[in-house]
Amino acid sequence: MRLLIAMMKHETNTFSPVPTPLARFGNGPGPLYGEAAIRAYRGTGTGLGAYLDLAARERAEIVLPIAASAPPSSPVEDAAYREITDCICNAAAKGGYDGIMLDLHGAMVTQSLDDGEGQFLKRLRAIVPDMPIAVALDMHANLYDEIVANATVVAGYRNYPHVDTYETARLAGEILLRTIRGEVRPVMAWGNVPMLPHVMRQGTDDRPNKELQHRCAAMAEEGALAASLFTGFPHADISNAGLSAVVVTDGDRELAERLRDELLDRAWVEREAFVYRIEPLRESVARARAMPAPPSGEGPVVLLDHYDNCASGGTMDTTAVLAEIMRQGLEDVAAFAIHDPQAVQQAIAAGIGAEVTLSIGGKIAMPSIPVESPALSVTGTVKTISNGHYRNRGPMARGLQMDMGPAVVLDTGAVEIVLISRHVEPSDLNCLLALGIDPMQKRYVMLKSRIHWRAGLGKVATAVVDCAGVGVCTSDYGQLRFKKVRRPIYPLDLPNR
Ligand SMILES: [Zn+2]
C-alpha cells in the first residue's frame, strides 16, 4: 500500500492584524518537508502522528510532502497558501497512491479565499478523481460544501481542549483504510445552523458541548462511521462561520441525514447556553484579589486574559489585564505571556540579575476593533533568559517540540512577567516549567488563553477568574464589524426563541 500524508493547518481570525506568511507555518522557521516532517511528528500525539502510526501498522509506503501548521492569525498570505497546496497537489499528481490522509483545520481563510480547505480539496479531487481522501478537522472548522463534497471521509475533534487530535486522525484514517480494502463505502451528510457559539462556552467539560459531543460518540452504536459536531470559529467574517455537523455512514445516506439533523437540532435548542456573559475587568480582578490565599503549594487562582489568546489570532501583546492586576496590587503572580521580541532583546542585553525598566506590549495596532492597547511600563529584575524551546508533556500535542523564541522572565517583585518572541498559547505545563516557574507555588497565574489552558493547567487551578481585557479575540461581539457572515445569525440578530 502507498499513502500520501500531509498537514495544512491554520485557524484564521479575519479581525487579527498578525501577518501569516509561510514562515509562520511550523514550530520553527516555516513548514517541514519530507523526512524532516516525518522525524518531527512520528511518535507524537498529533493527527500526523496517528496517520504515521497507521501507515507503519499497514507496512505502507508513505510520501509526506509537507507539514505546515501556523498559530491562528490574519488571512494566510496567498504565496504561502500556494506553496503549501502546490506541494501537496504536485505530490498527488505523481500518482501511484492507494489513499490520501490529510490533517487540516477547516477554518483557513486566505487573502483571496474564504474557504482555503474547500478550494484546496476541490483542486486535489480534480487531480485524483477516484482516490479515497480522509480529512481530520479541528472542532473550530467553519464547514463549506466543497470540503465535504471533495473528501471521502471527514472527522472532527470531540474535545476542547483538543486532547484528541491523534484519535480523530486515527478514526478518519481507519475509515479510509477500510474504504481502500472495500469493506465500507462512506457517504456523508453535512449541514449548519445560523448560530455562532461563543468560544468561551465551547469547552467540552461544560454543558452543552459536553453532551453534544457525547451524542456524536454514541452515534457509532447506531451505524455512524464518524459523527462530528463543529462548534465553529466565530472570529471569521465569512459566510459559513458557525456551528455545523457532518455524519459519515456506510452507504446509508438517509441515516447520515437523520443523525446530522438530530445533532443540528440539539445544538440549536441549546443556543442560549452557548452565549457568554461578560464581567467588567475591574470587578474580576477585585474578585480574585478578595479570594482567600490557598495553602502554599495547593495551586494558583488562574486569571484568564481571554480577549488576547494567540491561539485564536490575538496579538498576545495587549496589557489591559496585566495592568489591572498590577494596579490592584495582586502579589505572587506569574503572567504568561506578553509577545514582545524587542523587550526580550532589551532584557537579554541587560543580562541576568540586572534591573531594567521596559515598555512592554502594545506594539501591534488592531484596526479591526475600536479599543486601544497601550504599552505598559514595568520595572523589574531579569530573572531568566531562555531560548524558548520546550517539548509538550501533554495531554495536548504530547511530545511535540515547541518554540516560543528567545524568552525572558522579568520579576517586578509582585509579578513574574514572561516575555516571548514567538506566539505560543499556554496549554502545556512545560511552557512555564521550562522558564523556572512552578505554577503550583504561585498564588495567581495569568494566562492568555481561553479553553486550551485546561489541558495542561486545568488540574492545578484552585479557581478560575475570566478577565475581559483587550484583543481581537474579544468576547464582546459588539466590537466586531461583521460584513460577510450569513445573516440573520444567532446571537447577532436572532431573538432567542
Ligand atoms: Zn480549535
Side-chain angles (χ1 to χ4, degrees), residues 12 22 84 163 238 250-251 272 307 328 361 367 369 372 385 484:
T12 306
L22 189 64
I84 299 165
V163 293
I238 54 172
D250 182 11
E272 199 180 352
Y307 275 37
Q328 293 200 26
I369 57 167
E372 293 287 307
I385 294 176
K484 292 167 82 175

Side-chain angles (χ1 to χ4, degrees), residues 124-146:
L124 184 65
R125 179 50 85 203
I127 297 168
V128 287
D130 304 314
M131 180 85 60
I133 299 175
V135 175
L137 292 180
D138 193 285
M139 188 187 285
H140 295 109
N142 291 322
L143 223 52
Y144 277 81
D145 191 50
E146 281 74 10

Side-chain angles (χ1 to χ4, degrees), residues 212-474:
L212 290 166
Q213 298 299 332
H214 279 177
R215 182 66 192 114
C216 286
M219 284 180 173
E221 306 293 318
E222 295 161 37
L225 296 174
S228 309
L229 182 93
F230 300 98
T231 40
F233 186 59
H235 294 268
D237 189 19
I238 54 172
S239 63
N240 280 16
L243 187 135
S244 63
V246 59
V247 176
V248 191
T249 63
D250 182 11
D252 191 340
R253 184 164 304 279
E254 189 271 333
L255 175 65
E257 289 172 354
R258 183 160 53 78
L259 295 177
R260 169 205 63 192
D261 289 346
E262 185 200 319
L263 288 175
L264 294 176
D265 289 348
R266 279 177 179 240
W268 179 250
V269 167
E270 295 284 6
R271 64 195 175 281
E272 199 180 352
F274 277 116
V275 175
Y276 178 74
R277 317 273 168 211
I278 298 166
E279 179 183 42
L281 176 59
R282 187 176 292 230
E283 290 172 24
S284 307
V285 175
R287 193 157 59 81
R289 189 169 187 272
M291 286 177 173
S296 179
E298 189 113 307
V301 173
V302 166
L303 304 161
L304 280 187
D305 184 358
H306 58 93
Y307 275 37
D308 189 30
N309 169 23
C310 73
S312 294
T315 60
M316 212 178 182
D317 86 333
T318 71
T319 56
V321 173
L322 179 58
E324 186 63 20
I325 287 170
M326 294 175 75
R327 196 187 67 78
Q328 293 200 26
L330 274 63
E331 292 192 337
D332 197 15
V333 185
F336 190 101
I338 302 289
H339 176 270
D340 192 333
Q342 204 177 316
V344 169
Q345 290 307 322
Q346 288 167 342
I348 290 173
I352 294 266
E355 188 180 288
V356 288
T357 297
L358 300 174
S359 172
I360 62 170
K363 295 193 171 57
I364 306 175
M366 296 176 290
S368 67
I369 57 167
V371 193
E372 293 287 307
S373 172
L376 180 66
S377 177
V378 289
T379 299
T381 306
V382 180
K383 185 190 169 209
T384 308
I385 294 176
S386 163
N387 66 3
H389 293 182
Y390 66 94
R391 197 174 283 280
N392 282 336
R393 65 167 54 193
M396 216 174 121
R398 174 186 45 77
L400 195 63
Q401 179 69 43
M402 303 298 289
D403 180 5
M404 49 190 160
V408 301
V409 179
L410 185 73
D411 186 358
T412 70
V415 187
E416 292 189 332
I417 304 168
V418 177
L419 303 171
I420 61 178
S421 305
R422 284 177 62 88
H423 285 130
V424 170
E425 184 185 15
S427 57
D428 195 279
L429 259 181
N430 280 354
C431 71
L432 289 165
L433 295 178
L435 297 170
I437 295 173
D438 178 359
M440 291 301 286
Q441 306 303 323
K442 288 284 167 193
R443 182 167 176 192
Y444 301 101
V445 175
M446 186 207 92
L447 300 172
K448 284 188 180 275
S449 178
R450 298 208 278 199
I451 302 288
H452 278 148
W453 71 275
R454 295 180 187 177
L457 290 114
K459 283 199 186 75
V460 310
T462 50
V464 186
V465 176
D466 296 355
C467 298
V470 170
V472 291
C473 320
T474 173

Side-chain angles (χ1 to χ4, degrees), residues 6 8 81 84-86 88-89 102 104 113 115-125:
M8 175 178 80
Y81 178 73
I84 299 165
T85 52
D86 279 0
I88 302 171
C89 288
L102 299 173
L104 307 180
L113 304 169
D115 173 24
E117 288 89 349
Q119 296 308 311
F120 158 62
L121 286 165
K122 191 174 166 187
R123 181 179 161 203
L124 184 65
R125 179 50 85 203

Side-chain angles (χ1 to χ4, degrees), residues 37-87:
I38 294 170
R39 270 199 306 279
Y41 283 91
R42 181 165 273 157
T44 61
T46 62
L48 270 194
Y51 286 153
L52 291 168
D53 282 353
L54 283 178
R57 189 192 71 193
E58 299 294 317
R59 299 179 193 283
E61 187 189 332
I62 53 169
V63 172
L64 202 165
I66 190 166
S69 175
S73 45
S74 67
V76 176
E77 290 183 5
D78 284 341
Y81 178 73
R82 206 175 311 118
E83 159 79 13
I84 299 165
T85 52
D86 279 0
C87 192

